[in-house]
């Protein structure tokens, strides 16, 4: 596997575990800096079952690309699971384990890899399209706005008359 393929797999893995609700997912590029591996993926699981599910699901997803674990450790604990995929290692940990072992500090010599999907930049034409859409919505809502009907106008007049009669009766009673 070349460096470009490894980077694509690492980014795919980070996005996958993020989609599965792993928290604070980080990817470190260690190419040329470590003999251990080229990349490290670190994610936080919210519980032991979540940790197990993240590890198994990520392994299953990577198998679809023909990538298999060469080693795995931490199966006996519910706090940390590390999977070695050759070019990269994936660490899934609980929050307590992540704080205690501080892998983010240990691998801080590596470069942070931006793995999040970036939103497309707005161009002038997309801004025009958005403005046109807003105008269309305003026109449509103005056309569909209800105009008062004869019945609703009559009901309003009747209500007003009834209110005036009630006020007159009340004022007469209070003067007596």
């Amino acid at each position: 596997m070349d460096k470009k393929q490894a980077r694509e797999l690492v980014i795919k893995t980070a996005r996958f575990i993020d989609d599965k609700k792993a928290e604070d997912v980080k990817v470190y590029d260690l190419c040329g800096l470590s003999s251990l591996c080229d990349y490290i993926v670190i994610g936080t699981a919210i519980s032991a079952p979540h940790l197990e599910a993240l590890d198994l699901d990520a392994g299953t997803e990577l198998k679809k690309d023909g990538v298999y674990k060469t080693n795995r450790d931490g199966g006996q604990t519910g706090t940390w699971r590390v999977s070695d995929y050759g070019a990269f290692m994936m660490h899934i940990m609980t929050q307590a384990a992540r704080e205690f072992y501080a892998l983010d500090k240990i691998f801080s010599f590596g470069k942070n890899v931006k793995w999040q999907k970036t939103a497309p930049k707005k161009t002038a034409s997309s801004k025009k399209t958005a403005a046109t859409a807003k105008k269309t919505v305003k026109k449509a809502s103005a056309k569909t706005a209800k105009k008062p009907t004869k019945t609703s106008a009559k009901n309003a007049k009747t209500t007003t008359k009834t209110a005036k009669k009630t006020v007159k009766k009340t004022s007469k009673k209070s003067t007596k």
Side-chain angles (χ1 to χ4, degrees), residues 58-120:
T60 303
E61 189 67 21
L62 287 165
K63 284 179 187 176
K64 293 176 184 177
D65 293 324
V67 179
Y68 296 89
K69 293 177 188 175
T70 59
N71 203 355
R72 178 183 142 194
D73 197 11
Q76 301 80 15
T77 71
T79 58
W80 186 1
R81 191 69 45 85
V82 60
S83 300
D84 186 350
Y85 290 97
F88 73 95
M89 295 178 77
M90 180 179 68
H91 295 266
I92 307 293
M93 314 168 87
T94 61
Q95 184 64 39
R98 188 157 180 178
E99 290 170 5
F100 182 78
Y101 292 105
L103 290 185
D104 294 288
K105 289 181 183 176
I106 293 171
F107 294 113
S108 64
F109 64 90
K111 299 175 200 167
N112 274 330
V113 175
K114 294 185 180 181
W115 56 267
Q116 295 91 343
K117 293 179 183 177
T118 56

Side-chain angles (χ1 to χ4, degrees), residues 12-83:
K12 179 181 178 178
T13 303
R15 288 177 179 167
F16 180 81
I17 65 172
D18 183 63
D19 288 344
K20 295 291 183 178
K21 307 300 183 213
E23 297 177 347
D24 196 22
V25 178
K26 301 279 186 186
V27 177
Y28 296 100
D29 180 348
L30 307 177
C31 292
L33 301 173
S34 173
S35 59
L36 185 62
C37 61
D38 291 332
Y39 296 94
I40 297 285
V41 178
I42 304 173
T44 302
I46 57 173
S47 65
H50 186 223
L51 183 140
E52 181 72 24
L54 286 170
D55 182 47
L56 290 174
D57 291 348
T60 303
E61 189 67 21
L62 287 165
K63 284 179 187 176
K64 293 176 184 177
D65 293 324
V67 179
Y68 296 89
K69 293 177 188 175
T70 59
N71 203 355
R72 178 183 142 194
D73 197 11
Q76 301 80 15
T77 71
T79 58
W80 186 1
R81 191 69 45 85
V82 60
S83 300

Side-chain angles (χ1 to χ4, degrees), residues 3-17:
K3 303 278 185 203
K4 185 177 179 182
Q5 290 173 324
R7 184 178 178 89
E8 289 172 2
L9 273 174
V10 165
I11 289 171
K12 179 181 178 178
T13 303
R15 288 177 179 167
F16 180 81
I17 65 172

